[in-house]
Amino acid sequence: MFLPAKNDTPTSGIPADTRFCPGDWTILSRYWHPVAASAAIVDKPASVRLLDRQLVLWRDGDGVNAARDLCPHRGGQLSLGQVCDGMIVCPLHGFRYDGDGACRKVPALAPAVPIPKKLRIESYACQERYGLVWVCLSDEQPLPLPDWSLIEAGEGKVVVVPPGVWRAAAARHVENFNDLCHIPFVHRGTFGGEEDRTIEAYGVDIGDGCLTFQTEYVEQTRYAGQRQDGGLHPLNRRRYNYHLTLPFASWLEITDEAKGSAFHIFDVASPVSTDVSKIFQILVDMTGGLSERDMIDFQQRINSEDAPLVEAQSPHELPLDLRDEIHIPADRMSIEYRRALARLGLGAGAILGS
Ligand SMILES: [Fe+2]
């Protein structure tokens, strides 16, 4: 019922109730992570969660702002308030805060009395790119966003898929997205391919903060609808070009070599908590002829094939010690992904509370 009469617990920094170990949280906090689709933040505040930190988002004349969803006056949840003159207004006592976190108005305070300097909300770096709102929780200079400039090049049809929440670790989602072996089995109902086809050996290029590999894959015709007889749609040879920006942003370019046109899936898993992720996807169709509705529907069918199986993987955490699971040559990407995450310093400590 009471916090201690002498309470030395820091109120900022790593969330007190997080299940991330402090080292993982600190490393992940230095990256930009998406928290919402830009189009979802209009005239009302939104409550989102990132790395176990509850945030309020709101839009003012300069763009979207992100802050801790907490009024330091009496613990009001700011996202239950409203936006007035570009400021977030606490629902309890009407305190108003600007995008830098400073309190600009305390209605109960006489105009001549200055607002206490320390009456601030904890604000975070926030920017809109690629149709998404990105937040960095660290005080340090954030690491760069993934270079997904193709989305902004004005080519092809660009579609932002409504985000979905998976009860899975972000890294488990990323590894699944970049996994060739699961496709014929998990995606029988969409673009699967032949179950007995061998995965040719491939190499992974390890760059500065990124991993890339290319391969051919014989997939079922995309966007062909669902067959009622359980059989495969016609097969098509495709070139897959995977580009993963650490820690959680993947870009898959699927090229139809006969036609020379490409379809792009940009996918990023936002770590809500250790075992909950918000999945953001942007599709760019250079093939022509696809409607936005068809693109979203098909991607959501693919996601609904993946999600329950990834959510059921055990343990929820991605093992970064390669001895913890058994690998085959077709797992080259997942092996290099686990190694790259470990090189970032992730997985160096135990997870709190487990
Ligand atoms: Fe999949």
Side-chain angles (χ1 to χ4, degrees):
M1 174 170 298
F2 304 108
L3 288 175
K6 181 169 170 27
N7 186 4
D8 296 323
T9 310
T11 55
S12 60
I14 300 174
D17 58 351
T18 184
R19 295 190 74 245
F20 289 92
C21 73
D24 288 351
W25 195 95
T26 303
I27 292 166
L28 293 175
S29 73
R30 295 179 186 137
Y31 290 89
W32 292 103
H33 301 282
V35 289
S38 278
I41 311 302
V42 188
D43 55 349
K44 291 187 171 50
S47 178
V48 298
R49 194 169 177 86
L50 173 63
L51 292 170
D52 287 327
R53 172 67 80 214
Q54 204 65 36
L55 305 173
V56 57
L57 305 178
W58 79 97
R59 187 179 290 283
D60 65 15
D62 296 325
V64 177
N65 304 289
R68 191 166 173 182
D69 195 5
L70 181 76
C71 177
H73 169 232
R74 286 295 180 267
Q77 187 176 337
L78 295 169
S79 57
L80 297 177
Q82 52 189 310
V83 181
C84 277
D85 300 329
M87 290 182 278
I88 185 76
V89 184
C90 180
L92 279 177
H93 305 97
F95 288 28
R96 294 189 183 193
Y97 300 92
D98 67 17
D100 293 327
C103 186
R104 297 294 180 199
K105 184 173 180 180
V106 176
L109 202 58
V113 179
I115 295 170
K117 284 264 186 300
K118 66 179 188 182
L119 189 51
R120 298 183 59 87
I121 53 174
E122 214 173 302
S123 61
Y124 300 103
C126 183
Q127 63 170 314
E128 292 178 89
R129 288 290 301 275
Y130 316 132
L132 305 178
V133 178
W134 301 75
V135 170
C136 176
L137 295 182
S138 175
D139 292 337
E140 297 178 22
Q141 181 69 24
L143 291 155
L145 278 176
D147 180 5
W148 287 354
S149 44
L150 179 81
I151 295 170
E152 298 170 332
E155 297 170 34
K157 184 189 288 275
V158 178
V159 171
V160 179
V161 179
V165 175
W166 292 28
R167 294 210 62 86
R172 281 285 195 193
H173 168 88
V174 174
E175 186 172 272
N176 176 71
F177 186 91
N178 289 272
D179 172 34
L180 291 169
C181 288
H182 84 290
I183 298 174
F185 301 94
V186 176
H187 298 301
R188 282 192 194 96
T190 49
F191 68 106
E194 297 167 302
E195 293 179 8
D196 288 335
R197 186 179 284 268
T198 305
I199 303 288
E200 300 288 336
Y202 62 92
V204 174
D205 291 322
I206 301 167
D208 184 17
C210 65
L211 302 172
T212 57
F213 76 100
Q214 297 80 38
T215 188
E216 287 193 339
Y217 188 82
V218 179
E219 61 173 39
Q220 295 176 61
T221 303
R222 285 172 183 259
Y223 299 99
Q226 209 143 14
R227 273 179 65 145
Q228 301 304 313
D229 60 5
L232 292 181
H233 284 297
L235 295 169
N236 303 276
R237 183 171 293 277
R238 298 282 187 257
R239 188 89 188 145
Y240 284 2
N241 189 349
Y242 286 88
H243 185 105
L244 191 165
T245 304
L246 295 170
F248 304 134
S250 305
W251 168 16
L252 170 58
E253 177 184 23
I254 304 159
T255 306
D256 180 332
E257 291 189 320
K259 294 181 185 162
S261 55
F263 185 85
H264 301 262
I265 305 172
F266 297 87
D267 175 290
V268 55
S270 183
V272 175
S273 187
T274 53
D275 56 359
V276 181
S277 310
K278 201 163 181 182
I279 308 302
F280 295 88
Q281 294 167 321
I282 300 132
L283 311 174
V284 181
D285 175 41
M286 308 280 199
T287 67
L290 292 173
S291 72
E292 177 172 335
R293 192 68 258 165
D294 283 348
M295 290 165 71
I296 290 174
D297 285 350
F298 193 78
Q299 189 59 44
Q300 289 184 325
R301 277 174 54 204
I302 294 173
N303 294 344
S304 69
E305 292 172 328
D306 282 309
L309 298 174
V310 174
E311 289 172 343
Q313 280 181 282
S314 182
H316 279 305
E317 299 83 10
L318 187 72
L320 296 190
D321 186 330
L322 295 181
R323 298 169 298 182
D324 282 342
E325 290 184 334
I326 312 302
H327 313 278
I328 61 172
D331 296 325
R332 175 51 51 195
M333 179 59 169
S334 111
I335 292 167
E336 297 303 342
Y337 179 50
R338 294 178 185 200
R339 284 178 170 154
L341 293 174
R343 282 196 298 274
L344 294 179
L346 294 164
I351 291 175
L352 296 180
S354 61

